[in-house]
């Protein structure tokens, strides 16, 4: 019998026990780099989210790296990332469903004026009023019509909103209008009362939520960033909120996480802040994903969720 492949878990200390019990079901030795003694030459696979820069390059016989998250920008930020080794990102319908829930919830909170009813309740005030805008006239634009963006678009479409998505390549999603590429960007923005960012963070998408983008949205549009903090030019968002070009924003991700206590976003009256919790990868599901991924790699097959270095996602 050949030797069992060795898997190294590279996560912040304290988190490894979340994964270990599930990974023990796999056909390999499970290691945790913080506490185990091991030979770097012996490591075949790595499971990680934000590995320290330079670390992966010290493992000479690595066959595949598995990301614990759907977004792999933290790996790409490592200047020494070994690009000869495939990097596989986590894709899970349950994670996409939870992301879609987050987006739906924050759109409905605005669309149904729930915050105002909360205030009215606190004042014991009966504040009956109609919807500000008909659902079918409310246009939602999703930046990134990938695994998660498509799920969010379908759920919002099912609720009766007018939904469109923007991606690199044109898509066919029933009941969802598709815009693609640079030429599709301005017309897509012009019809988006709600703009939801679900793009991967790449050289092309960094800072895409900026003053120019906000100016192309209808006046009073609402922005939801659930992708990465690097997509957003924070001071330009605050200026657009203060000028009234945007009516509000919900932000789950930030350039610096945790968001520093002195950051103006915390106290801005038009901003809802959540602490990067739109969806959290489930250890049991992710472990199964890795076990299947290792089996695939051992058979010499390419994983369908292998990152394309050229595209950056
Ligand atoms: P996918 O790779 O499945 O989808 C990415 C989409 O973005 C694709 O439709 C792609 O277009 C489009 N895209 C990429 N680059 C461009 C570009 N330059 N111009 C136009 N469209 C572009 O990613 P997921 O849906 O799985 O995840 C999206 C992101 O969500 C992750 O990268 C991560 O940052 C974030 N996330 C956040 C979480 C949270 O808790 N807040 C949890 C999970 C993920 P095409 O289809 O044509 O290639
Ligand atoms: C992810 C995340 O990318 O949690 O999965 O942000």
């Amino acid at each position: 019998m050949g030797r069992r492949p060795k898997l190294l878990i590279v996560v912040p200390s304290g988190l490894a026990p979340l994964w270990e019990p599930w990974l023990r079901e796999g056909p390999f030795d499970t290691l945790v780099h913080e506490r185990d003694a091991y030979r770097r030459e012996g490591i075949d696979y790595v499971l990680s989210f934000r590995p320290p820069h330079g670390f992966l390059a010290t493992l000479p016989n690595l066959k595949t790296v598995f990301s614990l998250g759907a977004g792999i920008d933290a790996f790409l930020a490592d200047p020494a990332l070994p690009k000869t080794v495939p990097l596989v990102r986590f894709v899970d319908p349950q994670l996409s469903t939870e992301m879609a829930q987050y987006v739906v919830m924050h759109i409905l909170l605005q669309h149904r004026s729930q915050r105002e009813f909360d205030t009215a309740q606190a004042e014991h005030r009966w504040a009956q009023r109609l919807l500000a805008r008909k659902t079918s006239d409310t246009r939602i634009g999703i930046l990134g019509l990938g695994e998660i963006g498509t799920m969010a678009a379908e759920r919002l479409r099912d609720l009766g909103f007018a939904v469109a998505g923007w991606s690199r390549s044109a898509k066919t999603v029933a009941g969802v209008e598709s815009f693609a590429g640079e030429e599709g960007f301005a017309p897509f923005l012009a019809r988006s009362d709600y703009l939801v960012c679900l793009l991967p963070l790449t050289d092309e998408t960094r800072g895409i939520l900026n003053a120019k983008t906000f100016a192309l949205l209808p006046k009073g549009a609402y922005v939801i960033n659930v992708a990465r903090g690097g997509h957003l030019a924070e001071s330009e968002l605050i200026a657009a909120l203060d000028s009234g070009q945007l009516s509000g924003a919900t932000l789950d991700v930030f350039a610096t996480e945790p968001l520093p206590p002195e950051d103006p976003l915390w106290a801005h009256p038009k901003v809802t802040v959540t602490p990067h919790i739109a969806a959290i990868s489930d250890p049991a599901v992710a472990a199964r994903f890795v076990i299947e991924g290792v089996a695939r790699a051992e058979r010499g097959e390419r994983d369908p969720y292998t990152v394309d270095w050229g595209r950056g996602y």
Side-chain angles (χ1 to χ4, degrees), residues 76 80-86 309:
L76 295 181
L81 182 70
K83 292 205 172 153
T84 47
V85 179
W309 302 120

Side-chain angles (χ1 to χ4, degrees), residues 5 27 44 48 69 74 78 94 103 111 113 126 129 138 146 149 161 164 199 207 228 242 248 289 294 296 312:
D44 301 294
S48 186
D78 176 355
Q94 180 182 311
V103 172
H111 180 61
S113 307
W126 190 255
R129 65 189 191 78
T138 303
F161 291 102
L199 289 165
R228 285 292 182 263
D242 292 346
F289 189 81
V294 167
R296 199 176 283 121

Side-chain angles (χ1 to χ4, degrees), residues 197 199-202 205-210 225 227-233:
C197 182
L199 289 165
L201 184 62
T202 66
T205 66
R206 190 177 308 280
I208 194 166
L209 299 176
N210 58 31
N225 186 18
R228 285 292 182 263
H231 287 121
L232 177 70

